[in-house]
Amino acid sequence: MTNDTGVGSHTSAELRQREAKIQDAGRKALEYKEKGFHCSESVFLAINDTLKITDPCMVKIVTGFHGGGGTHRLDPDLDLTPFLADVAAGRIVAEPDELPMIQVQHLCGALAASIVCVGLLHGRCSPEDDLTCVDELCYELHRRFNEDLGSNECHALREIWVPQSEDQSCAHVYRKGTRIALEVILSAHELVPECPPMSLEP
């Protein structure tokens, strides 16, 4: 991966347009959170809204990544959908061992959705296709999540950011994770020369 940020190759208007897209995507992620979507879904939808990658209904491919990769009911009568909505919104705050469910809490759903978006943009259809672009960008996503948010795992991120939030939720991770993804995607060619240039046009 090159260390050249490529900033010098862009006009100030292009840089402002790029930053506006990044900020707007972060706001959209929070709007989707308020509608009831989870982290992986909100980040995917915000990125997709901004870049028009695919049909928005494809959000279903990232649904299972929220909560770090799945949830198991300890009480078979628990209605998981509204319960998880309350947990995500910060309306239920409890220690993990006090909840009637167990979450995997491994890879952060916001990061997983970002990786899916990179794959949709730069993944391959044939085993002969080059992996350099997608692999380097996904590595960079992990690096930035760890550097900017403190971890790339759901459990650790919840421990860091939920207590700091006004609403006892992962709102900061939704917003910042989306911004990280857009920064990486929009600067892909500068970060990894093998990646095709990304147009800022709608």
Side-chain angles (χ1 to χ4, degrees):
M1 182 179 296
T2 180
N3 290 324
D4 178 19
T5 61
V7 169
S9 64
H10 295 285
T11 67
S12 58
E14 288 172 331
L15 292 175
R16 283 193 304 273
Q17 185 181 10
R18 178 185 287 189
E19 184 58 27
K21 283 185 177 289
I22 291 166
Q23 297 299 324
D24 188 50
R27 283 191 296 274
K28 285 180 179 180
L30 292 182
E31 289 171 8
Y32 279 113
K33 175 186 179 297
E34 291 305 311
K35 290 178 181 178
F37 285 102
H38 290 283
C39 55
S40 53
E41 298 164 322
S42 296
V43 170
F44 178 89
L45 288 166
I47 295 170
N48 192 52
D49 276 3
T50 305
L51 301 178
K52 311 296 185 214
I53 300 170
T54 188
D55 181 339
C57 286
M58 290 296 287
V59 67
K60 62 180 138 183
I61 67 175
V62 301
T63 296
F65 290 120
H66 79 94
T71 306
H72 170 65
R73 297 176 296 184
L74 297 175
D75 175 359
D77 295 325
L78 177 68
D79 190 344
L80 208 51
T81 302
F83 186 84
L84 288 173
D86 286 342
V87 171
R91 292 186 291 268
I92 295 176
V93 181
E95 292 299 318
D97 60 353
E98 297 171 351
L99 295 170
M101 56 144 200
I102 300 170
Q103 287 193 305
V104 174
Q105 293 195 340
H106 286 177
L107 184 66
C108 170
L111 175 55
S114 301
I115 290 170
V116 168
C117 289
V118 166
L120 286 169
L121 288 164
H122 300 293
R124 59 187 192 163
C125 296
S126 162
E128 288 77 34
D129 294 342
D130 189 56
L131 284 170
T132 307
C133 176
V134 69
D135 274 23
E136 290 283 5
L137 293 183
C138 291
Y139 181 89
E140 182 66 4
L141 286 171
H142 277 273
R143 189 188 72 75
R144 292 192 190 193
F145 262 70
N146 276 308
E147 183 176 284
D148 297 349
L149 289 167
S151 182
N152 59 11
E153 292 204 354
C154 174
H155 177 72
L157 289 167
R158 288 189 61 80
E159 285 190 342
I160 296 166
W161 295 106
V162 168
Q164 296 185 50
S165 70
E166 292 181 7
D167 65 353
Q168 295 293 296
S169 79
C170 277
H172 179 72
V173 177
Y174 283 57
R175 181 176 56 249
K176 183 63 176 176
T178 303
R179 289 178 181 173
I180 289 170
L182 257 292
E183 287 167 2
V184 168
I185 289 168
L186 292 177
S187 60
H189 183 65
E190 293 91 48
L191 293 168
V192 185
E194 289 86 351
C195 295
M198 188 81 191
S199 172
L200 292 176
E201 297 306 313

